[in-house]
Amino acid sequence: MATNSSFQLFSSSSDKPNLGLGFLDSSEPPLPPPPPSIEVLSSEVSSSVRCTVEPVNLDGFTLLKGRVSTKEVFGLPNSDLVPGKYEGGLKLWEGSLDLVKALRSEVQNGHLSLEGKRVLELGCGHGLPGIFACLEGAAVVHFQDFNAEVLRCLTIPNVNANLSEKSQPDPSGEVRFFAGDWGEIHQLLPHAHESEMNLNSSSEHGQATGYDVILMAETIYSIPAQRNLYRLIKKCMSHPHGVVFMAGKKHYFGVGGGTRQFLSMLEKDGVMAASLITEVADGSSNVREVWKLSYK
């Protein structure tokens, strides 16, 4: 395990172009238009799709997660993803579990407090990191996924099951759900800015805006999507003390993304710094990591 190692990919900071990065230019055919961005109400939980709830043990800490059929929800075979239509939200990805473990360790070590914070989980799927934030007393937890069906059939049932199971004493924390593409969803998110990097980070009423903590696991597998994801982060992240906790693989073989490419984009942009929280080698040729991103 490596802790709090600073990331430095380039030897010089003098050349910091904007996000016009060659490796993000894709010659792939264009995807279909994304579905419209919408808020999904907690009352809209699906009653037509069977969701089987089962426990997940995270080094002595247990959360509940649902299991639903991709074929039943989307009419698709049990595929990890179909670009532009289904982005894998029904699968429980390893990085989501890594992120919960890392957050719990950070809280236990006194490096992180989620109590009273505004939290956003991007590409939430099962929503386990966001659920952990709920259980740690976050004032606001907003869950975002590309697919509204994922929120209705899986995320909302998972949130309900865990908060009920843990007998959450204070249900007054705000929990909301948003579906849409990263290039457009900022228009709906209550604490997002219209433009990147609102350095004043305050509304016209003098109150701080932005999310204190942004959580994301396995969101950086797609090179074409990385640019919109990074722009969204800068529209959502509170300045100057906001942080991002990002879990993912060093390399996603076959699709080209990974933590190294995403971090190189941050390095070239020059706005944020990255520190390695933990890495997991599971015996395969790939390594999973959890990083903390913050403003320089």
Side-chain angles (χ1 to χ4, degrees):
M1 177 180 291
T3 304
N4 291 337
S5 300
S6 295
F7 175 77
Q8 183 70 33
L9 182 68
F10 300 98
S11 59
S12 171
S13 60
S14 60
D15 182 19
K16 293 180 179 177
N18 292 326
L19 295 182
L21 304 178
F23 64 75
L24 289 176
D25 296 333
S26 174
S27 59
E28 297 177 3
L31 297 176
S37 298
I38 61 171
E39 178 171 4
V40 177
L41 303 179
S42 59
S43 60
E44 295 179 39
V45 60
S46 175
S47 59
S48 61
V49 175
R50 183 168 58 93
C51 181
T52 303
V53 176
E54 54 195 32
V56 179
N57 190 299
L58 301 163
D59 295 340
F61 177 73
T62 301
L63 289 175
L64 301 176
K65 67 99 175 174
R67 181 189 296 273
V68 298
S69 165
T70 308
K71 185 175 182 179
E72 190 175 354
V73 176
F74 290 100
L76 298 169
N78 287 322
S79 171
D80 285 351
L81 60 92
V82 178
K85 181 173 182 180
Y86 164 60
E87 292 293 335
L90 298 180
K91 177 176 178 177
L92 182 60
W93 298 89
E94 295 167 319
S96 178
L97 305 181
D98 295 338
L99 182 52
V100 174
K101 292 176 184 178
L103 293 172
R104 186 167 179 249
S105 176
E106 290 289 285
V107 169
Q108 290 178 332
N109 293 334
H111 299 153
L112 172 68
S113 173
L114 294 167
E115 186 172 358
K117 299 295 178 60
R118 296 184 300 272
V119 178
L120 171 65
E121 184 178 357
L122 295 174
C124 63
H126 281 259
L128 297 187
I131 289 169
F132 178 77
C134 290
L135 297 174
E136 287 294 316
V140 170
V141 181
H142 292 166
F143 295 86
Q144 178 275 332
D145 197 88
F146 181 79
N147 297 110
E149 296 90 341
V150 169
L151 298 173
R152 295 187 183 107
C153 298
L154 188 64
T155 316
I156 295 174
N158 279 356
V159 170
N160 292 341
N162 280 279
L163 297 191
S164 173
E165 174 72 16
K166 302 294 183 180
S167 300
Q168 188 73 351
D170 181 13
S172 61
E174 178 183 292
V175 178
R176 295 170 69 179
F177 306 88
F178 300 89
D181 183 78
W182 290 328
E184 302 174 355
I185 195 66
H186 68 279
Q187 299 171 20
L188 274 186
L189 293 172
H191 299 292
H193 318 304
E194 279 300 317
S195 59
E196 300 171 18
M197 276 288 294
N198 183 342
L199 295 180
N200 294 325
S201 192
S202 61
S203 69
E204 61 183 5
H205 302 293
Q207 296 180 339
T209 60
Y211 292 90
D212 304 303
V213 181
I214 298 175
L215 308 174
M216 57 186 201
E218 310 274 15
T219 56
I220 54 173
Y221 57 88
S222 168
I223 292 177
Q226 285 186 6
R227 184 170 4 218
N228 277 344
L229 176 58
Y230 183 45
R231 285 173 174 162
L232 178 60
I233 288 170
K234 291 199 289 183
K235 291 175 181 177
C236 291
M237 188 172 165
S238 178
H239 187 276
H241 301 300
V243 295
V244 177
F245 287 92
M246 173 186 77
K249 296 181 176 67
K250 272 189 178 181
H251 305 285
Y252 289 88
F253 298 110
V255 288
T259 57
R260 286 302 179 267
Q261 285 203 328
F262 190 80
L263 293 171
S264 70
M265 180 169 57
L266 266 68
E267 179 80 13
K268 286 191 174 184
D269 190 40
V271 172
M272 297 184 190
S275 297
L276 180 64
I277 300 298
T278 185
E279 61 181 10
V280 180
D282 58 5
S284 68
S285 59
N286 211 342
V287 175
R288 307 195 308 271
E289 301 175 325
V290 178
W291 289 81
K292 178 182 178 181
L293 316 178
S294 58
Y295 288 113
K296 290 185 175 179

